[in-house]
Amino acid sequence: MDAAGSAAYTTRMSVRTRFAPSPTGYLHVGGARTALFNWLFARKHGGAFVLRVEDTDEARNTEEAKLAIFDGMSWLGLDWDEGPDKGGDHGPYFQSQRKEIYDAWFQKLVDADRVYQDDGAWRFRFERKPVTMNDLVCGEVTIDYRDESNTPDMVVKRSDGSYVFHFVNVVDDLEMGITHVIRGEDHLMNTPKHLQLIEAFGGVAPKYAHIPLILNADGSKMSKRDAGAAVGDYPRQGFLSPAVVNFIALLGWNPKTDEEIFSPAELIERFSLENVNRSPGRFDFEKCKWVNQQHLAKLDAAEFAAGAKPFVDKAGLVAGGNFEAVAAAVKEKVRLFSEVPAAVDFLLTDEFPHDDEALAKVRNNPAAKQVFDGLGDAFESIADWSADAAKAALGEAAKSAGAKPGQMMFPLRVALSGRGHGPDLGDILTLLGKARCVERVRGFAAKL
């Protein structure tokens, strides 16, 4: 279906999408991307986004995993309209609570003579014909069911009475009125099976869109142990949820512009299945951090300080009354909130180390010792302390030592912060204040 046809189709109906995770582990970034695309599509078309939980695997399901999924989706802002904790007209939303529903639908297949027993299990009798699906991402795909050796009748009910994924998945989609199934490409070959079941039930099939897999940056398959795989790790590492949503959206979807930074509202406005790529998405954790940095830069000083404070507290640093100004000094320097403590520690405590490499560079500057021997007194004599006044005093001390003022900026930075990089030197001088600058310069002179 082309873009115009797809758009016309969605306007003729009430869009209903769903995300159906299994609570057997944490929320993986691949699952989060599937949830996001369904959420974006539903929001774009004014439809409903349904969350249902495929929890029939009692041996592997855990309460911890269920909560991790809910917490991960909530943190990402992927609010569901129907599902656990929300209710709705199509519940229950846990498959483990839907057995009576499945029994009733199974009886329809029995009555239609579309199932038969085989070693205690029940198999669905395929119609031996080609089945063609028109996928909204992958295009037209045909599976030929005429060769039974390649497409044996599938089990829909196990010998223990439990139902298989294919059966409950189709029943739930029909029961819940799902209009669009957006899921991973690994399910592409399952769809013809589902279409045969839907036809046997006399139902109307949803539109399917199979989105590409996510690979690591080097093209290898992404595993659960790879950095960035677990959504629950992102808030602990200091990511902003809109930034993670932004990054995940770009894993397989192309806005067809050079823009890369979008708010959730902008993603809703721009999103379309026509712009979903066929090739796998490449997960680049460094790119994710860069996207986060762009979102951090858009925060105002108060928002940034509020986000950074828990990480500063956890590091054992005391965020004083001027913490908003302290945090603002490094807002353009960090990619994650978790990087803030190391970036501002020297502004919050006087106990900090001096970087050996930076200190060695200062010691190699022949004028540094002479300048810093007198710089403490020069700073002490400044009546009205300011960054400009301190830099002027440094300039005079440099000239007296036969050095250029610019050559002393780096040594002063190292004296005050212990490192050769960081916030603007003027901000450091202002935030530390006169007394602390005098003390640090004098202590640094002794090191030289």
Side-chain angles (χ1 to χ4, degrees):
M1 184 181 296
D2 60 20
S6 177
Y9 182 84
T10 55
T11 57
R12 292 197 302 267
M13 60 194 305
S14 177
V15 167
R16 289 175 61 81
T17 65
R18 50 77 165 173
F19 177 53
S22 297
T24 57
Y26 60 78
L27 180 59
H28 188 274
V29 69
R33 198 237 349 224
T34 298
L36 172 61
F37 281 14
N38 279 280
W39 181 84
L40 289 172
F41 191 80
R43 295 290 175 263
K44 173 71 174 284
H45 296 286
F49 174 56
V50 179
L51 174 64
R52 71 169 186 248
V53 181
E54 297 187 345
D55 61 341
T56 54
D57 189 345
E58 295 182 8
R60 299 179 61 213
N61 295 335
T62 68
E63 184 70 14
E64 182 182 11
K66 183 187 75 173
L67 293 176
I69 291 171
F70 294 170
D71 290 347
M73 290 184 64
S74 296
W75 182 76
L76 289 169
L78 306 183
D79 54 319
W80 51 97
D81 303 297
E82 297 177 25
D85 302 328
K86 293 286 182 72
D89 297 332
H90 303 276
Y93 293 93
F94 291 91
Q95 285 186 341
S96 60
Q97 301 171 10
R98 295 174 64 82
K99 187 176 185 303
E100 290 184 4
I101 295 172
Y102 301 142
D103 287 342
W105 282 79
F106 179 74
Q107 188 60 44
K108 294 182 180 182
L109 297 182
V110 173
D111 294 343
D113 194 28
R114 293 300 301 273
V115 291
Y116 60 92
Q117 279 194 290
D118 179 18
D119 289 333
W122 289 84
R123 290 186 178 272
F124 173 70
R125 198 188 317 275
F126 285 129
E127 285 195 16
R128 295 301 162 183
K129 63 181 182 179
V131 176
T132 298
M133 57 181 173
N134 293 295
D135 192 87
L136 296 177
V137 173
C138 301
E140 185 176 291
V141 179
T142 299
I143 301 296
D144 193 343
Y145 281 83
R146 289 176 295 189
D147 185 351
E148 189 171 349
S149 66
N150 291 331
T151 55
D153 290 341
M154 70 173 172
V155 172
V156 291
K157 188 176 184 180
R158 302 180 184 91
S159 58
D160 64 3
S162 63
Y163 294 98
V164 304
F165 159 78
H166 301 293
F167 179 84
V168 296
N169 188 272
V170 165
V171 169
D172 287 347
D173 284 344
L174 292 174
E175 276 268 330
M176 296 180 181
I178 301 303
T179 63
H180 293 77
V181 173
I182 304 170
R183 59 189 181 188
E185 197 175 48
D186 51 326
H187 285 292
L188 182 62
M189 290 300 101
N190 291 331
T191 303
K193 302 174 185 177
H194 297 177
L195 290 174
Q196 285 237 29
L197 271 173
I198 291 169
E199 185 178 7
F201 285 132
V204 177
K207 293 294 179 180
Y208 291 92
H210 289 88
I211 56 182
L213 301 179
I214 299 175
L215 303 178
N216 287 315
D218 62 3
S220 62
K221 185 177 180 180
M222 194 174 190
S223 76
K224 294 182 178 181
R225 294 179 296 277
D226 288 325
V231 171
D233 290 341
Y234 286 88
R236 291 190 288 268
Q237 293 175 14
F239 282 88
L240 286 170
S241 60
V244 177
V245 166
N246 184 167
F247 175 72
I248 293 176
L250 297 175
L251 295 174
W253 171 76
N254 191 326
K256 302 302 182 184
T257 71
D258 292 334
E259 298 172 86
E260 293 186 284
I261 305 304
F262 303 98
S263 68
E266 290 169 333
L267 287 173
I268 291 172
E269 181 182 353
R270 303 281 191 99
F271 185 78
S272 72
L273 292 174
E274 291 75 31
N275 288 351
V276 173
N277 302 329
R278 284 288 291 113
S279 56
R282 295 295 183 102
F283 187 95
D284 184 342
F285 201 43
E286 293 304 308
K287 176 68 174 289
C288 186
K289 293 176 182 178
W290 176 83
V291 170
N292 196 71
Q293 186 175 33
Q294 309 314 302
H295 281 262
L296 287 178
K298 293 185 176 184
L299 299 179
D300 63 31
E303 291 170 329
F304 183 83
K309 188 175 183 300
F311 293 89
V312 169
D313 293 343
K314 186 177 180 180
L317 298 169
V318 178
N322 69 335
F323 181 66
E324 186 173 308
V326 168
V330 299
K331 187 161 80 79
E332 305 294 332
K333 306 289 185 180
V334 300
R335 298 180 298 173
L336 307 170
F337 281 133
S338 58
E339 295 174 354
V340 172
V344 302
D345 56 355
F346 71 94
L347 294 170
L348 302 178
T349 178
D350 293 320
E351 299 296 326
F352 60 92
H354 282 76
D355 179 72
D356 290 338
E357 185 176 347
L359 186 58
K361 287 183 179 180
V362 176
R363 285 172 172 162
N364 286 334
N365 187 327
K369 175 65 175 172
Q370 182 179 345
V371 169
F372 277 85
D373 277 343
L375 187 59
D377 290 341
F379 278 3
E380 185 77 69
S381 67
I382 297 174
D384 190 7
W385 179 261
S386 69
D388 287 341
K391 289 179 180 179
L394 176 66
E396 291 299 320
K399 290 178 183 178
S400 299
K404 295 180 179 180
Q407 294 177 321
M408 291 297 112
M409 294 297 183
F410 179 80
L412 180 58
R413 174 182 292 279
V414 177
L416 298 178
S417 70
R419 64 205 68 173
H421 56 83
D424 180 81
L425 182 58
D427 289 338
I428 295 174
L429 289 163
T430 300
L431 291 167
L432 287 176
K434 177 179 174 178
R436 295 174 79 191
C437 286
V438 169
E439 182 178 357
R440 291 189 184 189
V441 165
R442 286 173 173 164
F444 190 68
K447 290 179 180 291
L448 298 178

